[in-house]
Amino acid sequence: MTPRTGRHFLQIPGPTNVPDQVLRAMAAPTIDHRGPEFAALTLRLLHQLKPVFGTSGPVVVYPSSGTGAWEAALVNTLSPDDRVLCFETGHFATLWAQMATALGLRPDIVPGDWRHGADPDELARRLTADTRHTIKAVCVVHNETSTGVTSRIPEIRRVLDDSGHPALLLVDTISSLGSLDYRHDAWGVDVTVAGSQKGLMLPPGLSFNAVSDKALAAARTARLPKSFWDWEPVIAANQRGFFPYTPATNLLYGLSEALDLLAAEGLDEIYARHARHARATRAAVRGWGLEVLCADEREHSGSLTGVLLPRGHDADKVREIILERYDMSLGAGLGKLAGTVFRIGHLGHFNDLTLAGTLAGVQMGLGLAGVPVDPAGLGAALEVLGAP
Ligand code: PLP
């Protein structure tokens, strides 16, 4: 590999670039997780997390990757053989449904083409047909990281309300929380699943469940086996600022710093920044003469863009050239999209010039890989970024 100068461009859709302030915060000495200083940190953190989720209810923090929070959402609320309705929006939705099967649930999978989000009309049909209310939960990935498609959660909620169906709504926000508009309480979500390594600008290693009253009530009778993931002892210990096991102390230092950064910028400003960067990225992709993977204008992701290559071109080869030549990592096509799609992450600790550099690297790399692209693509993005 060519010797590196300057900073690596980590433009995968998570883990994202970690701000220096967050890295420095995590370098502080580890403290006693049963002492008063730690309790004060936890209580402050749990309070600061609520607006990011848009909730006044509890947020459970786990020392795990996002996959753990998926499991926690299922095992706390459901019982063996329960039916769960899962929308196959892409790779991550598929993995979540596979986990449901592994845990002894019965997922009904709504097939998808990996270019659209969860379909509210199909949800209405499925719920109407379920007159005996055997579907216990609806699982939706808010922002499908494998495709760059954002499902319309408020419309999903409206369908649940209109049908009078009591199923819980479980939503994965692993690549949307802290980047895209999201409201756990206002949108009537029962469990929001999140992770530290994307919009929250932390390294991987923390995950979250925001929990509604209805989900807490379901947890009192749910019979799937649970121990480590059980909300109840965590919520009880959190009252006094502690955890029932050793928490990831230094990641929590980082979280505190990251939440301060989010609060200083303002959530609305953060959402607008991500939407603008996504718009500029789509302008580049279309300007190059390539296709954005997301097929519905209402569902474009603000945090990443999936780019479809023309037949006969290998997306992994393009990424390899860009890594070798420009020291930039882009997201691979996952699952059935391997080789035909690459993904540009534009989320987290990110600004106009990071995007301009990213898109310049992609444009040059596409050229080196022999993909025919119109160099006007970069200019189209700069026009969006340069608009007053
Ligand atoms: N869900 C989504 C939408 C994701 O993007 C990811 C990871 O990228 C996961 C779930 C799995 O999370 P983790 O890899 O942190 O376990």
Side-chain angles (χ1 to χ4, degrees):
M1 198 174 263
T2 324
R4 303 295 189 207
T5 55
R7 277 212 165 186
H8 176 66
F9 266 59
L10 182 65
Q11 298 320 137
I12 57 174
T16 60
N17 296 288
V18 179
D20 291 348
Q21 302 95 305
V22 173
L23 290 172
R24 278 196 296 272
M26 290 191 305
T30 303
I31 56 172
D32 174 9
H33 62 290
R34 302 187 196 281
E37 195 185 337
F38 185 81
L41 169 72
T42 306
L43 293 173
R44 191 173 67 249
L45 270 179
L46 294 175
H47 183 70
Q48 280 182 299
L49 273 171
K50 289 179 193 284
V52 180
F53 285 85
T55 188
S56 59
V59 178
V60 177
V61 184
Y62 295 108
S64 85
S65 82
T67 301
W70 266 351
E71 181 160 340
L74 298 175
V75 298
N76 276 285
T77 55
L78 297 163
S79 297
D81 282 331
D82 275 354
R83 282 176 79 198
V84 291
L85 190 61
C86 302
F87 285 86
E88 186 215 344
T89 50
H91 182 68
F92 291 104
T94 303
L95 291 180
W96 200 11
Q98 283 170 2
M99 172 187 274
T101 304
L103 292 170
L105 299 167
R106 284 188 297 136
D108 288 0
I109 296 172
V110 180
D113 66 357
W114 294 34
R115 300 192 70 176
H116 293 83
D119 179 0
D121 295 335
E122 182 58 22
L123 176 64
R125 281 190 284 277
R126 301 269 180 151
L127 294 181
T128 308
D130 182 33
T131 49
R132 292 190 302 117
H133 294 169
T134 58
I135 296 171
K136 299 302 176 193
V138 175
C139 297
V140 183
V141 174
H142 180 215
N143 188 67
E144 195 24 278
T145 322
S146 62
T147 63
V149 177
T150 305
S151 285
R152 290 163 281 147
I153 303 301
E155 290 185 39
I156 297 290
R157 177 74 256 170
R158 202 165 313 126
V159 169
L160 275 157
D161 290 344
D162 291 350
S163 65
H165 197 292
L168 295 163
L169 177 56
L170 312 184
V171 178
D172 169 340
T173 65
I174 287 179
S175 61
S176 56
L177 193 89
S179 299
L180 313 185
D181 188 14
Y182 187 77
R183 299 153 198 254
H184 175 89
D185 289 358
W187 294 356
V189 178
D190 293 300
V191 186
T192 295
V193 172
S196 55
Q197 72 271 31
K198 305 195 191 238
L200 294 182
M201 306 181 291
L202 290 161
L206 291 179
S207 70
F208 308 87
N209 276 178
V211 182
S212 73
D213 287 343
K214 186 170 158 185
L216 283 174
R220 286 193 275 277
T221 54
R223 287 178 290 101
L224 277 182
K226 58 180 178 291
S227 170
F228 179 78
W229 304 113
D230 193 347
W231 293 331
E232 204 267 325
V234 183
I235 291 172
N238 280 175
Q239 303 297 320
R240 292 174 297 106
F242 298 113
F243 288 83
Y245 39 69
T246 312
T249 310
N250 290 51
L251 277 169
L252 297 177
Y253 294 159
L255 177 60
S256 175
E257 188 66 33
L259 291 172
D260 285 345
L261 291 174
L262 294 181
E265 185 176 357
L267 288 173
D268 288 343
E269 287 73 14
I270 290 168
Y271 303 151
R273 165 165 64 82
H274 282 79
R276 191 167 145 274
H277 286 154
R279 234 179 12 258
T281 305
R282 290 195 296 279
V285 174
R286 289 169 179 154
W288 291 326
L290 299 179
E291 205 176 338
V292 172
L293 183 62
C294 174
D296 187 327
E297 278 302 317
R298 297 168 299 177
E299 297 180 334
H300 284 303
S301 168
S303 56
L304 76 134
T305 300
V307 183
L308 201 50
L309 283 191
R311 211 179 284 279
H313 292 279
D314 180 354
D316 289 337
K317 188 72 200 163
V318 171
R319 287 188 316 104
E320 194 185 305
I321 288 170
I322 290 173
L323 177 61
E324 170 60 31
R325 179 71 180 257
Y326 301 114
D327 195 19
M328 175 161 68
S329 297
L330 295 170
L334 297 176
K336 69 181 185 187
L337 301 175
T340 58
V341 163
F342 68 89
R343 297 167 299 142
I344 304 172
H346 35 76
L347 72 165
H349 183 52
F350 195 75
N351 63 27
D352 285 11
L353 293 188
T354 329
L355 182 61
T358 299
L359 296 175
V362 174
Q363 178 166 309
M364 292 186 289
L366 286 165
L368 287 171
V371 181
V373 289
D374 185 336
L378 181 59
L382 297 184
E383 234 168 79
V384 175
L385 294 178

